[in-house]
Amino acid sequence: MSDCLFCRMVTGEIPADVVHETGRTFAFRDINPQAPTHVLVIPKDHHATAGLLVGADPQLLGEVVAAAHAVAMQEGLVTADGPEPGYRLVANTGPAAGQTVHHVHLHVLGGRDLGWPPG
Ligand code: 5GP
Ligand code: ZN
């Protein structure tokens, strides 16, 4: 989609601080980080929400989650031995959750005590 910010980042038309990439996924640092690690992981194909993605291509949703975990490993948020110190995945969906970019993305957040519940 030519008018989608994240599609334009995948094509390189808009620059991104890329931290991980596979054939079908793309991960880059958030421009307004909410934690020491704040990376967005997306499918290269355009799908608006996680629900629409899992309906259209469940395998691709799995690839996006696997890429998010790989980013967490790369950022030192988990190890091969266990889930320490840990990280959070967030998929905001719709206006009540504050979704502002309508290309599905997982926020990978970590590097501080994230607390629960979120504000
Ligand atoms: P949402 O609120 O839709 O869940 O998250 C969208 C995220 O995209 C926000 O955290 C916002 O900071 C990030 N974002 C918006 N525009 C850009 C941009 O041009 N570059 C990058 N790297 N992140 C962006
Ligand atoms: Zn898109």
Side-chain angles (χ1 to χ4, degrees):
M1 274 183 56
S2 59
D3 59 343
C4 170
L5 172 67
F6 288 176
C7 283
R8 294 169 77 189
M9 292 172 85
V10 170
T11 61
E13 191 184 335
I14 291 176
D17 184 356
V18 180
V19 298
H20 189 269
E21 185 170 6
T22 68
R24 297 215 293 165
T25 70
F26 192 71
F28 51 94
R29 295 198 190 280
D30 196 292
I31 203 167
N32 183 24
Q34 302 301 309
T37 292
H38 188 171
V39 171
L40 302 175
V41 184
I42 66 173
K44 289 181 176 176
D45 290 347
H46 183 91
H47 299 271
T49 69
L52 289 170
L53 171 58
V54 79
D57 192 342
Q59 166 79 26
L60 182 53
L61 179 60
E63 291 176 32
V64 172
V65 174
H69 188 68
V71 167
M73 292 266 291
Q74 201 172 283
E75 294 284 312
L77 302 177
V78 285
T79 66
D81 298 332
E84 283 82 29
Y87 66 93
R88 180 168 295 156
L89 297 183
V90 173
N92 292 323
T93 304
Q99 184 179 10
T100 57
V101 180
H102 300 285
H103 180 135
V104 60
H105 47 282
L106 290 182
H107 297 255
V108 180
L109 295 155
R112 65 171 170 80
D113 187 346
L114 295 164
W116 188 262

